[in-house]
Amino acid sequence: MVFEGLSDRLQETLGKLTGKGKLTEKDIDAAMREIRLSLLEADVNYKVVKDFVKTVKERSLGEDVMTSLTPGQMVVKIVNEELTNLMGKENSKLDLKGSTPHMVMMVGLQGSGKTTHSGKLVNKLKKENRNPMLAALDVYRPAAIEQLKVVGDKAGVYVYEEGKQDPVKTAENAKAYARLNNYDTVILDTAGRLQIDTDLMDELKNIKEVTKPDEILLIVDAMTGQEAVNVAQTFDEYLDITGVILTKLDGDARGGAALSIRQVVGKPIKFVGVGEKLEDLEPFYPDRMANRILGMGDVLSLIEKAEARIDLENAKELEAKMRNQTYTLDDFMDQINQIKSMGPLEDLLAMIPGVNNKMLKNIDIDDAGFTKIEALISSMTKEEREKPEIIGKSRKDRISKGSGVDVRELNKLLKQFKELKKMMKQVTNMEKNMKGKKGRGGFRMPKLPF
């Protein structure tokens, strides 16, 4: 889970403060020591930690906090605001204005995920009704051009390439090609090295010179912590980058890179990679990330995930089936697959306000449970999926054997499905009764959100 280690420590430290009716300077000092250690262990830049703790302490010792009826909550509010400031205050969008084609340079070290995230970005732009294309400029890494073609094919966009020709000339030609063929945005997938060297930077500066990019996005691995910040500093010195894409944020339990880059480099994190699929690229919202770190949830991101991944027409059909009692195990499986497409269940639950890491650890969250359900339902006949009530002992044994899942799991699934249909019938009947009372002093049942 994102920033799990840091989040646990900060929530525990601040929890001690909120449990007190009155705070003393000694309490604040103790909390600041814990926060300092938490941030340093998360591999946050030392100077960033020092300035952050100083600011939080000064604000926490202010009159508004010390005389407040809920001083602990006021300190939490201050920490939340300062974490948000640390990461950039607000979301920073791509600056693609003016004449086309817009040029976006993707830069970074070899292995940082430039090619993959070029595909993710071009996929995102396409969904925003732009007409983007990719340009292959990495002529050094074996099969780099072929990899970009595969990524472009998945995204359904054109990939411009000129084989092993000079990348600078290819970049210049790609811009001309885009202008002639009405592509409004070109994503330049540049070459990387295992380490920063003069040849690499000279080539990138020359590409920048001939294409005059609207954006120069540095792709860095969030899990490398302070090394990611060092890489960002060097690339910024050479190229004056406009923003950062942090990859593998879903696997980063510490958070040092995300919490340091903006302050050290002075450039915003624009996107974060949170998975391996083309859709797994999200805008970076400092305020939402601060809320998640402190266990305050992230409802807006949860809603956006649902809107992006759930088919509204399909949802309406499912609602109708639930109401008229024609809902089947196939429909149940469809809903599970839509939830799975939104990401790990643990991460989704963490976006709900009030659900903190401690609570999540006490809940049996098993994404593999979805896989078992899918295996069980797939092992049923069409008739059994439509009428699960016909599933007796011999059928259960066959389904269990065919799916490789214990029959007890099957019994649990059938019981849950039966309870779900029973609940939906009760809700539908209640809604009908309430509608019948309309005009006689009753109230109208609100439209169900499913």
Side-chain angles (χ1 to χ4, degrees):
M1 192 164 61
V2 178
F3 301 174
E4 183 176 0
L6 174 63
S7 183
D8 284 344
R9 290 284 300 272
L10 288 181
Q11 287 179 36
E12 183 182 350
T13 300
L14 295 173
K16 294 174 185 176
L17 295 182
T18 55
K20 295 187 176 185
K22 186 177 180 181
L23 294 182
T24 65
E25 186 170 346
K26 187 177 178 181
D27 294 327
I28 299 292
D29 284 338
M32 292 307 107
R33 280 195 298 272
E34 288 297 318
I35 290 174
R36 182 186 296 108
L37 284 172
S38 301
L39 293 171
L40 289 173
E41 287 179 7
D43 205 17
V44 179
N45 178 272
Y46 173 75
K47 187 177 184 305
V48 172
V49 173
K50 183 181 177 182
D51 292 344
F52 177 83
V53 172
K54 180 183 177 184
T55 303
V56 172
K57 181 178 178 179
E58 287 175 353
R59 290 187 61 189
S60 297
L61 290 173
E63 186 179 346
D64 290 345
V65 174
M66 301 307 284
T67 60
S68 169
L69 292 174
T70 57
Q73 292 292 347
M74 291 291 285
V75 174
V76 173
K77 179 174 180 290
I78 289 168
V79 172
N80 179 276
E81 290 172 352
E82 292 304 323
L83 277 175
T84 302
N85 291 338
L86 202 64
M87 293 183 283
K89 294 186 180 179
E90 58 188 23
N91 169 245
S92 182
K93 302 180 184 297
L94 289 180
D95 186 12
L96 303 179
K97 299 172 184 175
S99 61
T100 58
H102 301 298
M103 308 299 288
V104 180
M105 274 182 73
M106 305 288 273
V107 302
L109 294 181
Q110 190 171 309
S112 61
K114 284 191 306 301
T115 300
T116 302
H117 284 77
S118 292
K120 289 181 179 181
L121 183 58
V122 84
N123 182 64
K124 178 178 176 60
L125 293 174
K126 185 181 177 186
K127 288 187 175 181
E128 292 174 356
N129 297 317
R130 290 184 179 272
N131 184 29
M133 62 174 255
L134 292 162
L137 306 184
D138 186 353
V139 301
Y140 310 107
R141 182 168 60 88
I145 294 174
E146 290 306 313
Q147 183 190 353
L148 190 66
K149 285 182 178 179
V150 171
V151 168
D153 187 55
K154 285 182 181 178
V157 300
Y158 176 70
V159 178
Y160 183 89
E161 59 98 0
E162 295 184 1
K164 298 294 184 178
Q165 181 176 285
D166 174 25
V168 179
K169 187 64 178 175
T170 301
E172 190 174 21
N173 292 343
K175 183 172 184 176
Y177 180 89
R179 184 179 290 112
L180 286 172
N181 292 275
N182 297 316
Y183 288 100
D184 57 35
T185 312
V186 183
I187 309 296
L188 303 171
D189 180 31
T190 68
R193 301 282 195 281
L194 293 176
Q195 60 187 25
I196 295 167
D197 61 33
T198 304
D199 290 341
L200 168 65
M201 289 305 171
D202 285 344
E203 179 177 289
L204 294 176
K205 284 196 283 188
N206 290 334
I207 291 172
K208 176 183 177 181
E209 180 65 28
V210 299
T211 60
K212 295 181 171 46
D214 301 79
E215 292 274 1
I216 302 177
L217 301 179
L218 173 68
I219 292 78
V220 291
D221 185 337
M223 296 179 71
T224 59
Q226 274 305 291
E227 183 56 32
V229 179
N230 296 335
V231 169
Q233 275 188 293
T234 305
F235 270 87
D236 188 52
E237 288 168 7
Y238 276 97
L239 298 171
D240 189 22
I241 63 173
T242 59
V244 174
I245 295 179
L246 275 183
T247 70
K248 302 179 186 176
L249 195 71
D250 52 323
D252 182 19
R254 296 187 300 171
L259 290 168
S260 303
I261 280 180
R262 180 61 189 245
Q263 290 298 109
V264 175
V265 185
K267 300 298 167 66
I269 300 169
K270 297 205 171 188
F271 297 100
V272 291
V274 292
E276 297 179 0
K277 299 176 183 176
L278 276 179
E279 295 80 16
D280 293 335
L281 182 72
E282 299 178 356
F284 183 74
Y285 292 91
D287 54 341
R288 300 184 192 181
M289 187 56 68
N291 285 345
R292 290 172 70 176
I293 291 172
L294 298 179
M296 297 177 181
D298 184 2
V299 175
L300 288 175
S301 291
L302 186 59
I303 291 170
E304 287 169 2
K305 276 179 176 282
E307 288 177 340
R309 304 295 174 90
I310 293 177
D311 186 326
L312 291 180
E313 289 301 317
N314 182 252
K316 288 178 183 177
E317 289 178 16
L318 285 173
E319 180 185 2
K321 287 183 177 182
M322 283 180 165
R323 291 178 183 281
N324 60 30
Q325 294 292 292
T326 59
Y327 184 73
T328 70
L329 281 167
D330 278 327
D331 299 320
F332 185 55
M333 193 65 245
D334 283 344
Q335 284 190 303
I336 286 176
N337 284 331
Q338 287 192 5
I339 293 171
K340 282 173 65 179
S341 74
M342 291 170 62
L345 186 57
E346 184 179 18
D347 288 351
L348 297 180
L349 289 175
M351 292 183 183
I352 300 172
V355 179
N356 56 38
N357 291 345
K358 189 174 181 180
M359 293 172 63
L360 289 172
K361 286 172 183 175
N362 293 326
I363 301 173
D364 184 17
I365 302 170
D366 183 13
D367 283 297
F370 285 158
T371 305
K372 290 179 181 178
I373 291 173
E374 188 172 10
L376 286 168
I377 294 176
S378 298
S379 297
M380 298 177 187
T381 65
K382 189 174 187 296
E383 185 181 21
E384 288 166 347
R385 293 196 294 272
E386 292 176 352
K387 301 175 184 177
E389 62 273 10
I390 70 172
I391 300 176
K393 187 179 183 308
S394 61
R395 288 178 185 261
K396 286 181 181 179
D397 289 340
R398 190 202 80 245
I399 293 167
S400 176
K401 187 176 180 181
S403 63
V405 180
D406 193 283
V407 73
R408 286 174 295 185
E409 296 289 340
L410 174 59
N411 287 333
K412 189 193 298 184
L413 169 62
L414 294 174
K415 182 180 178 181
Q416 289 174 338
F417 187 73
K418 184 178 179 180
E419 290 297 319
L420 176 62
K421 293 196 73 170
K422 181 181 176 182
M423 181 190 72
M424 282 310 307
K425 186 175 182 180
Q426 290 173 343
V427 170
T428 303
N429 289 338
M430 188 188 303
E431 200 172 27
K432 288 178 181 177
N433 291 336
M434 292 303 172
K435 285 179 181 178
K437 291 179 182 179
K438 187 183 177 186
R440 300 205 304 269
F443 67 93
R444 189 171 183 180
M445 186 80 169
K447 182 174 174 61
L448 295 169
F450 47 80

